[in-house]
Amino acid sequence: MPVTLALDTATPFLTLALAWEGGTLEISREVGRAHAERLADATRELFGEAGLPFRADTLVIGTGPGSYTGVRVGASYALGLGRVWSAPVLGVSTLEGLVQGSGRQAVSQDARKGNVYSAVYDAQGGVVQQTVEPVAKREATEFTATLNGLPHHQDTAPSGLSLLRAGLAHGVREWQLAYL
């Protein structure tokens, strides 16, 4: 199995994951707005902890929605590594990193001023299989009122392994960033 690196800097968390033939490893640390200062060292530390050389065959990037600077920091870093390593950079929504387990579920992140960026997904094993409601900016109370008891994962740290699996399952090469 080739080495895959996933990263997300769209939220206040720095989220990273690695998958390789010998296993998987992920970290998620709350860094506020210090993604630029911490991303490179944290990525190298992750490879070191895994006992792998600093090289991946595929990269997965969480494309937001999220902070303008945070999203751009992660995308720039991933694109730079992808170019150096001659590796594709696949994009998936940061909201897919909030998916947990299996079944229909709602996910959301604060979009300020009483709004959320949200989506509803059908998932299997932590990977989105179908988008029921696409990512959109919605009024928070209206979105919550439509859930009818649906599991709702909100404002949590994205899972790097969820992003990684989503990227390998259906990540796109022609992606766009989404900002708050």
Side-chain angles (χ1 to χ4, degrees), residues 65 93 95-96 99 103-108 116-123 128-140 142-148 150-152:
S93 171
L95 292 180
E96 290 197 40
V99 169
R104 187 165 288 190
Q105 53 197 280
V107 295
S108 66
V116 292
Y117 281 105
S118 60
V120 176
Y121 298 119
D122 275 329
V128 172
Q129 302 297 310
Q130 179 183 7
T131 300
V132 178
E133 288 186 36
V135 175
K137 186 176 184 179
R138 298 174 173 96
E139 204 281 320
E142 287 179 20
F143 177 68
T144 304
T146 67
L147 298 181
N148 297 322
L150 200 60
H152 182 202

Side-chain angles (χ1 to χ4, degrees), residues 40-90:
D41 288 342
T43 305
R44 283 199 176 269
E45 287 172 18
L46 188 68
F47 275 88
E49 190 174 329
L52 297 172
F54 189 61
R55 186 184 190 307
D57 301 292
T58 304
L59 291 99
V60 176
I61 180 73
T63 59
S67 115
Y68 179 81
T69 302
V71 171
R72 293 180 67 82
V73 163
S76 298
Y77 187 70
L79 289 169
L81 289 178
R83 177 165 263 189
V84 169
W85 294 338
S86 298
V89 180
L90 306 174

Side-chain angles (χ1 to χ4, degrees), residues 28-41:
S28 192
R29 299 178 184 146
E30 188 164 1
V31 297
R33 296 177 181 236
H35 296 94
E37 294 87 353
R38 304 232 177 114
L39 178 58
D41 288 342

Side-chain angles (χ1 to χ4, degrees), residues 1-8 15-21 23-27 46-47 50 52 55-63 88-99 125-128 158-172:
M1 177 176 156
V3 175
T4 303
L5 169 67
L7 62 100
D8 189 280
T15 300
L16 299 167
L18 273 176
W20 69 100
E21 188 174 333
T24 61
L25 189 59
E26 73 177 324
I27 62 163
L46 188 68
F47 275 88
L52 297 172
R55 186 184 190 307
D57 301 292
T58 304
L59 291 99
V60 176
I61 180 73
T63 59
V89 180
L90 306 174
V92 295
S93 171
T94 295
L95 292 180
E96 290 197 40
L98 303 181
V99 169
V127 178
V128 172
S159 161
L161 289 174
S162 289
L163 285 170
L164 189 145
R165 288 188 294 262
L168 293 177
H170 56 260
V172 295

